[in-house]
Amino acid sequence: MNRRRFIVPGIVILVIVGFVAILSVGLLMKEPLTGASGAARVSLPAADFALPLFSGGEITLASLKGKPVVINFWSSWCPPCRDEAPTLEKTWRLYRERGVTFLGVDIQDKEEDALAFVEEYDITYPNGRDLNGRITIDYGVSGIPIPFFVDREGMIVSRWVGAISENLLVERVEELLR
């Protein structure tokens, strides 16, 4: 009887320790949701969309077929988006004469905040708001910033999650031009 008194609690403790160990390993090995943002879209045709522009009118992705396109999802409240904004604008100015188009898709933002962001960073490439979230959903965006790189044939060849460095952005744009 004395042994039984120790065996049952010992088994319970082993089960609990085992469960906690398995749970801990699972949590440590899991990639964060934002790391997978848009991953399923790579190597697929870029979903067409109509983006109402802050400057007026709208632009469709289909109208840009035959041109390399960088589609960047961002928001004014996002610190990494602020970090990369000057890099995106600089690279746009460097490559626009070579036929590369940059599109900014503002998500989950107030229009006045987005407009202030565009003005603050002197962004000149086309930008607009994803008013109903449809573009964001179609591209599988779960974290920002995230630029998608679309080749001349309209295929998404790569994407980057987080603020992109100037060197990497230039490298990806050069790949689109090849």
Side-chain angles (χ1 to χ4, degrees), residues 15-110:
V15 168
I16 292 172
V17 168
F19 177 74
V20 169
I22 290 169
L23 182 63
S24 297
V25 168
L27 288 172
L28 291 172
M29 300 297 283
K30 186 177 179 191
E31 181 179 341
L33 177 62
T34 56
S37 187
R41 298 294 310 158
V42 175
S43 300
L44 294 176
D48 190 26
F49 57 82
L51 180 66
L53 300 174
F54 293 130
S55 60
E58 73 176 21
I59 192 167
T60 64
L61 187 60
S63 71
L64 300 172
K65 190 133 188 197
K67 295 181 178 185
V69 181
V70 177
I71 305 167
N72 189 56
F73 289 83
W74 63 275
S75 192
S76 66
W77 48 261
C78 161
C81 298
R82 292 184 165 279
D83 292 342
E84 75 173 8
T87 298
L88 288 163
E89 179 62 25
K90 179 181 177 183
T91 307
W92 152 250
R93 290 180 188 209
L94 182 65
Y95 283 96
R96 65 182 169 191
E97 297 300 320
R98 294 180 60 191
V100 179
T101 300
F102 279 50
L103 291 177
V105 181
D106 176 48
I107 67 172
Q108 302 172 354
D109 214 350
K110 295 179 185 172

Side-chain angles (χ1 to χ4, degrees), residues 94-174:
L94 182 65
Y95 283 96
R96 65 182 169 191
E97 297 300 320
R98 294 180 60 191
V100 179
T101 300
F102 279 50
L103 291 177
V105 181
D106 176 48
I107 67 172
Q108 302 172 354
D109 214 350
K110 295 179 185 172
E111 184 171 6
E112 58 270 14
D113 293 341
L115 288 169
F117 179 95
V118 168
E119 186 177 325
E120 178 181 348
Y121 292 99
D122 191 27
I123 298 173
T124 60
Y125 57 89
N127 265 271
R129 286 180 64 213
D130 183 9
L131 297 173
N132 60 10
R134 175 58 38 207
I135 304 168
T136 304
I137 291 167
D138 287 348
Y139 280 76
V141 173
S142 59
I144 54 174
I146 180 168
F148 288 86
F149 299 88
V150 181
D151 69 12
R152 288 177 164 88
E153 288 75 43
M155 299 294 289
I156 298 174
V157 296
S158 66
R159 57 87 166 114
W160 181 260
V161 178
I164 192 164
S165 70
E166 184 175 348
N167 288 342
L168 184 57
L169 181 58
V170 166
E171 179 182 305
R172 298 282 173 101
V173 170
E174 286 290 334

